[in-house]
Amino acid sequence: MRRILILALCVLMVSAFAFPFAVKAQSEPPANPTPGLSLFTTYPSQMIGIGETVTLSLKLRAASAPQVVRLEVQNPPQGWTLTFRGGGRVVKSVYVEPGNEASVDLRIESPATVEAGTYRFTVIAQSDQAKAQLPIELTIQEKSPPRLSFDTDLPTLRGTPSTTFRFNTTLKNEGDDELNVNLTAEASSDFLVKFKLSGQEVTSIPLGAKESKSLSIEAQPLSEIPAGSYPITIRAEGGDVSASLELVAEVTGQPDLSITTPDGRLSGQANAGRESPIKLVIRNNGSAPARGVHLSSSEPSGWTVEFDPKEVPAIAAGEQVEVTVKVRPSEKAVAGDYMLTINARPAEGASESADFRITVTTSTLWGVVGVGLIAVAVGVVAMAVMRFGRR
């Protein structure tokens, strides 16, 4: 009897400890089973324009066994055409293997009379083993028609024949569709036209919906062209739309001076300490008048140089004027060749300079004086020898 009581007590104690664990185990929910089929797309909610056709790329995955999955659309919008396509054909089902992702496209065509608003429907993928659903939401909005605009604040620039004309422009896509825009230019054969975006030369650029980009258009003369107005037509074409911009490069003439002498020789003679006149010819070989031509010089130390006149009011294109330069070498200058630089600087335009070789001669009077002094010195020495030699 005592053994029976002890055995019953042990059973009771074991039951008391085990019961909470059993209750706990039963209270825990079972782990979520792995779904047998999954269906998804990257962009299940989109905004589209009226009459736009949309293609959604659908992906299917099977968890365990291979299966044939039937496809259908639940609650499609009235009047819409929705078709599943794969391999270039309309399909109604797709074969899915575990570990491999199957793809199928859903082509959505809305009627041209569709009203703006939000439309929802569900894609159903079902096999004998599993079922998956994918809600789709499309918002219809009125689209802006495709249009390009081309603008600039300064359509006309002025410069010399050596100027690179740089026009700052803005190209904008006014529509709701992305465009790839090609850029072309019509200009005189004397110009090279380039398009630059952020410093890089381009011939085409992508433009997103409502996007605008700043373009720099450079027109560079290829040679010394005559003064005048040169039109440049810029065109931007993307898809079925285009835009143009009329630009003008106004080339102004510029003076081009040269310095020479009537006989063409860049040399002359001058006496030390004496003023010697030299005739100069200042010619304007450019395409515009040279105004306010200032004359100056760089001469050896101790020399004086004067111009008559010192400033020429104007030299017309293709014309020349004569100027007298008065050169006075230093009295201490020794005979020889010296370099004298003549400068002509117009009020507008590049300055010009020419180097002249001036041959300096000394006066013959000083030679006579020198010979006389030598003779006197010789005489004095001779008299001294004769007088003191007798003693």
Side-chain angles (χ1 to χ4, degrees):
M1 179 61 117
R2 185 178 179 182
R3 292 181 179 179
I4 296 174
L5 290 174
I6 293 173
L7 180 61
L9 180 61
C10 292
V11 171
L12 180 62
M13 292 178 63
V14 171
S15 300
F17 281 104
F19 180 74
F21 294 100
V23 172
K24 182 177 180 181
Q26 291 179 2
S27 64
E28 290 182 354
N32 291 329
T34 302
L37 182 67
S38 60
L39 170 66
F40 63 94
T41 185
T42 306
Y43 306 106
S45 179
Q46 297 187 22
M47 298 183 67
I48 63 174
I50 294 178
E52 182 178 355
T53 297
V54 180
T55 300
L56 298 181
S57 178
L58 306 180
K59 306 292 184 182
L60 295 105
R61 290 176 183 167
S64 55
Q67 48 195 292
V68 175
V69 180
R70 297 179 298 277
L71 303 170
E72 63 176 316
V73 177
Q74 190 177 62
N75 300 323
Q78 186 176 3
W80 290 40
T81 302
L82 296 94
T83 53
F84 296 98
R85 302 184 68 88
R89 303 188 179 201
V90 176
V91 299
K92 293 184 178 181
S93 62
V94 59
Y95 180 74
V96 185
E97 290 184 340
N100 292 328
E101 191 175 85
S103 299
V104 64
D105 291 336
L106 174 60
R107 182 182 177 89
I108 306 170
E109 299 176 77
S110 60
T113 57
V114 67
E115 295 182 357
T118 300
Y119 296 82
R120 299 178 180 89
F121 53 90
T122 304
V123 178
I124 306 295
Q126 186 171 3
S127 69
D128 295 337
Q129 305 173 32
K131 179 180 180 180
Q133 299 183 9
L134 176 64
I136 300 296
E137 180 182 278
L138 296 178
T139 300
I140 303 292
Q141 63 176 359
E142 294 184 2
K143 291 181 59 177
S144 300
R147 188 168 72 90
L148 286 172
S149 63
F150 224 157
D151 297 303
T152 180
D153 293 334
L154 297 173
T156 301
L157 296 180
R158 178 177 297 178
T160 66
S162 60
T163 299
T164 297
F165 298 85
R166 292 181 175 87
F167 301 88
N168 295 320
T169 66
T170 301
L171 179 62
K172 184 176 182 180
N173 178 8
E174 304 282 357
D176 288 330
D177 293 325
E178 183 177 350
L179 295 175
N180 188 52
V181 183
N182 295 318
L183 304 168
T184 57
E186 292 182 6
S188 168
S189 58
D190 296 318
F191 282 86
L192 176 63
V193 181
K194 298 179 181 179
F195 301 91
K196 289 191 175 181
L197 176 65
S198 301
Q200 298 294 322
E201 186 174 348
V202 296
T203 57
S204 64
I205 59 171
L207 275 179
K210 305 296 184 182
E211 185 182 12
S212 61
K213 290 185 178 180
S214 298
L215 290 173
S216 176
I217 300 174
E218 297 184 358
Q220 181 180 0
L222 297 176
S223 59
E224 288 290 329
I225 59 177
S229 295
Y230 294 85
I232 302 171
T233 302
I234 305 300
R235 286 191 173 86
E237 298 179 347
D240 297 330
V241 295
S242 64
S244 63
L245 184 63
E246 299 294 333
L247 306 175
V248 177
E250 286 192 355
V251 178
T252 60
Q254 63 178 357
D256 182 16
L257 299 178
S258 64
I259 304 173
T260 185
T261 60
D263 59 5
R265 295 185 301 173
L266 300 181
S267 61
Q269 289 187 346
N271 294 323
R274 296 179 59 184
E275 185 178 276
S276 300
I278 300 176
K279 289 289 185 181
L280 299 179
V281 174
I282 312 297
R283 181 173 178 81
N284 181 9
N285 301 308
S287 55
R291 305 185 187 279
V293 181
H294 180 79
L295 301 173
S296 61
S297 64
S298 299
E299 63 277 345
S301 177
W303 289 38
T304 59
V305 178
E306 296 181 358
F307 294 92
D308 183 22
K310 188 174 181 61
E311 184 172 308
V312 180
I315 307 174
E319 301 294 329
Q320 64 184 35
V321 296
E322 286 193 358
V323 175
T324 300
V325 56
K326 300 173 182 178
V327 181
R328 183 185 180 94
S330 171
E331 294 183 355
K332 298 180 181 180
V334 297
D337 292 337
Y338 295 81
M339 191 63 67
L340 172 66
T341 301
I342 305 297
N343 305 303
R345 187 181 72 251
E348 296 181 357
S351 61
E352 180 64 19
S353 63
D355 294 330
F356 285 79
R357 189 185 73 235
I358 304 299
T359 301
V360 175
T361 59
T362 54
S363 174
T364 56
L365 175 61
W366 289 108
V368 173
V369 172
V371 172
L373 290 176
I374 293 173
V376 170
V378 171
V380 171
V381 172
M383 292 178 62
V385 170
M386 292 176 60
R387 180 177 179 181
F388 294 103
R390 293 177 181 178
R391 296 182 181 181

